[in-house]
Amino acid sequence: MAEKTLLDVNPSGLIEHDHNHDGIDRRGFLKCMAWAGSGALCVIHGGVLTSKALGLPGSAKAHARGELSFVQISDSHMGFNKPANPDVISTLKAAVDKINALSEPPAFILHTGDISHLSKPEEFDNVDQILKSTNKEIFFVPGEHDVLNDDGAMFRERYGKNSKGRGWYSFAQNGVHFIGLVNVMNLKAGGLGTLGSDQLEWLRDDVSHLKASTPIVVFAHIPLWTIYPQWGWGTEDSGQALSYLKRFGSVTVLNGHIHQTMQKVEGNVTFHTAFSTAFPQPAPGAADSPGPMKVPADQLRSVLGITDVNYVQRRHALALVDSSLASSTSRSMS
Amino acid sequence: MRKKLLFGGVAIATVICALSLLHGAKRENAPSSAAMLLVNIDNFSFSPETVSVPVNSTVTWVNKDDVPHVIASTQGVFKSRALDTDDKYSYKFTKPGTYSYFCSIHPSMVGKIVVR
């Protein structure tokens, strides 16, 4: 069965989908509706995805409270100073305020790359300084803007001291296995993001000892699913990586790079991309190029944001909540 | 029939005209001695995408985009640093050949320099 679009809102305002009646076909596509600035909640349970708009009566309070909560931020682009956002410091600070206001404090933060705009030390310094006020441990993977002139040497010196190869690593937290991958280096002309054979080999070994019931969270900068190859929005050898993760019951893939939220569920794998905290980019093919999208100043914060992720052990589920910097609805979650 | 002949005549005249224009343009833009040539980077593409220059010419890339780009030879012959908006990078081509290049951070952007 072909993929189908799964974004339909029933009269109660809740979006609910169970496209797994036969227990086999669990392919689907869902564009989280955080674009409108209201936030969305997606609960994954054994491959079945349920999503509910935030701030509506009966929002899934119980689903969201879990044993492990963490936040994903992405694409800070410190140093960018052009329309539509001449002040990326303020919007990153707003993201930090949002994180600090979460009533269920996250255990840690994942940053999925493009910390800096031009790989300059002072840009990294600024981000470090702003993120310090979260008092959280932060796990980074590089974006292409973080490895511009030195093949990522400065990035690894700052953020990847315990990483392998070009900066990949894994760690375990509350029974969830987290894997940070690097797909922004050694890119080939005309190609997409690349993981490379050495990283793929490491990944295969890294997960080989894990039980199939272990929930997996993979995070990397460029999407590990092909969103729009004309703009380089995909990773050419991601299929190989995902083949090593096929046997696991719950795999969540968190990416950045495209500066907008998107989600797709395929089998037991949920793919999700996060907001930027700096500037929005156009929907795939909606403009001549993927360059920064200019929006009126009063709308900027509705297209920037953070992603709050909750893991509910009992339900074997990960709940993803995108909330824009303009909305206050994320607080109603917890 | 007469119409066809007339049309043919016009077509031939047009081709001759175009050829002579092309010839003139060629002489103007590509002298036999070394030249300077500008490639604009705009909207995530190189313009012109393919250029032909005599040996010892210098090609200069100018980034007109709001995001940085990196000029990198596919064969590893040359590579710029990250070019921010309005930054330039120049390379002098001292050997004939076809030099493919791309943006090493946006690899879907490709271009070619043909050195005669």
Side-chain angles (χ1 to χ4, degrees), chain B residues 31-75:
Chain B
S32 52
S33 57
M36 299 284 286
L37 205 124
L38 210 63
V39 176
N40 275 310
I41 309 168
D42 206 0
N43 255 338
F44 285 66
S45 58
F46 299 109
S47 178
E49 197 176 295
T50 301
V51 295
S52 179
V53 292
V55 75
N56 288 323
S57 294
T58 299
V59 176
T60 300
W61 287 264
V62 188
N63 183 13
K64 296 290 183 191
D65 267 340
D66 285 347
V67 294
H69 294 293
V70 180
I71 311 298
S73 149
T74 310
Q75 297 89 2

Side-chain angles (χ1 to χ4, degrees), chain A:
Chain A
M1 196 167 132
E3 283 180 14
K4 55 183 176 179
T5 301
L6 293 175
L7 189 66
D8 78 52
V9 180
N10 66 29
S12 70
L14 302 181
I15 307 166
E16 294 194 36
H17 305 288
D18 179 355
H19 52 106
N20 191 29
H21 303 299
D22 58 1
I24 298 165
D25 187 319
R26 286 175 294 182
R27 290 161 66 84
F29 184 88
L30 178 124
K31 235 180 185 176
C32 274
M33 44 75 67
W35 193 243
S38 59
L41 166 67
C42 314
V43 178
I44 297 99
H45 181 94
V48 180
L49 185 141
T50 311
S51 74
K52 300 186 178 196
L54 287 182
L56 294 166
S59 75
K61 198 169 169 179
H63 294 294
R65 190 176 293 281
E67 282 94 52
L68 175 64
S69 171
F70 63 94
V71 165
Q72 178 196 6
I73 58 172
S74 201
D75 295 86
S76 316
H77 283 266
M78 190 55 59
F80 179 83
N81 57 8
K82 300 188 172 65
N85 190 358
D87 189 3
V88 297
I89 288 184
S90 287
T91 47
L92 182 59
K93 281 181 176 166
V96 165
D97 289 345
K98 203 153 190 76
I99 293 167
N100 289 340
L102 290 169
S103 39
E104 190 173 357
F108 54 83
I109 296 168
L110 301 180
H111 193 305
T112 44
D114 282 357
I115 304 159
S116 74
H117 193 58
L118 290 166
S119 301
K120 290 180 179 169
E122 60 269 28
E123 296 173 346
F124 292 124
D125 286 345
N126 274 339
V127 173
D128 293 350
Q129 192 60 37
I130 295 165
L131 294 183
K132 204 184 265 179
S133 66
T134 62
N135 290 315
K136 300 293 173 200
E137 188 169 9
I138 306 171
F139 297 92
F140 295 87
V141 285
E144 72 279 5
H145 287 253
D146 302 320
V147 297
L148 284 178
N149 298 316
D150 62 357
D151 283 330
M154 194 200 301
F155 173 87
R156 285 189 297 278
E157 173 66 24
R158 283 173 174 262
Y159 307 109
K161 285 216 165 108
N162 298 315
S163 66
K164 313 272 198 306
R166 291 183 294 283
W168 52 82
Y169 57 97
S170 67
F171 64 94
Q173 180 89 31
N174 293 46
V176 180
H177 190 73
F178 289 82
I179 304 167
L181 298 179
V182 179
N183 57 359
V184 297
M185 279 143 92
N186 298 337
L187 306 184
K188 287 170 207 78
L192 304 172
T194 304
L195 293 161
S197 55
D198 45 354
Q199 185 167 209
L200 287 167
E201 204 172 299
W202 170 83
L203 175 65
R204 192 191 53 208
D205 292 350
D206 184 64
V207 299
S208 61
H209 68 285
L210 299 173
K211 282 186 196 156
S213 59
T214 310
I216 306 282
V217 174
V218 179
F219 57 108
H221 181 65
I222 298 176
L224 291 170
W225 44 302
T226 304
I227 294 177
Y228 198 62
Q230 296 91 324
W231 286 357
W233 289 2
T235 301
E236 52 196 32
D237 48 4
S238 58
Q240 187 71 35
L242 293 166
S243 73
Y244 302 143
L245 305 174
K246 231 175 207 162
R247 68 186 175 90
F248 293 96
S250 164
V251 178
T252 304
V253 179
L254 303 175
N255 300 121
H257 189 57
I258 66 167
H259 298 216
Q260 58 197 289
T261 59
M262 274 197 196
Q263 184 151 307
K264 175 175 120 152
V265 180
E266 198 170 295
N268 288 346
V269 185
T270 297
F271 298 90
H272 183 273
T273 63
F275 278 124
S276 161
T277 67
F279 57 85
Q281 279 179 271
D288 290 341
S289 79
M293 194 164 80
K294 292 161 184 76
V295 295
D298 61 347
Q299 285 169 32
L300 176 65
R301 289 186 181 209
S302 68
V303 287
L304 307 176
I306 65 170
T307 303
D308 185 20
V309 187
N310 284 272
Y311 169 56
V312 187
Q313 202 152 36
R314 183 174 47 83
R315 295 179 61 86
H316 192 72
L318 276 160
L320 300 159
V321 183
D322 295 306
S323 55
S324 81
L325 298 183
S327 69
S328 56
T329 47
S330 67
R331 289 177 205 184
S332 68
M333 278 298 306
S334 38

Side-chain angles (χ1 to χ4, degrees), chain B:
Chain B
M1 189 67 190
R2 198 178 293 168
K3 259 188 185 173
K4 259 189 190 169
L5 275 175
L6 186 66
F7 177 76
V10 169
I12 288 165
T14 308
V15 167
I16 290 169
C17 204
L19 276 175
S20 60
L21 268 176
L22 262 179
H23 188 64
K26 199 178 173 190
R27 244 193 291 181
E28 198 178 321
N29 287 346
S32 52
S33 57
M36 299 284 286
L37 205 124
L38 210 63
V39 176
N40 275 310
I41 309 168
D42 206 0
N43 255 338
F44 285 66
S45 58
F46 299 109
S47 178
E49 197 176 295
T50 301
V51 295
S52 179
V53 292
V55 75
N56 288 323
S57 294
T58 299
V59 176
T60 300
W61 287 264
V62 188
N63 183 13
K64 296 290 183 191
D65 267 340
D66 285 347
V67 294
H69 294 293
V70 180
I71 311 298
S73 149
T74 310
Q75 297 89 2
V77 180
F78 52 90
K79 188 174 181 181
S80 75
R81 288 182 63 80
L83 306 180
D84 199 6
T85 307
D86 294 329
D87 281 356
K88 290 177 184 156
Y89 168 72
S90 296
Y91 185 81
K92 188 175 178 179
F93 292 87
T94 56
K95 284 180 193 160
T98 298
Y99 298 83
S100 299
Y101 67 92
F102 68 118
C103 170
S104 69
I105 54 171
H106 306 110
S108 54
M109 296 168 58
V110 294
K112 205 186 280 177
I113 309 289
V114 180
V115 182
R116 303 182 302 271

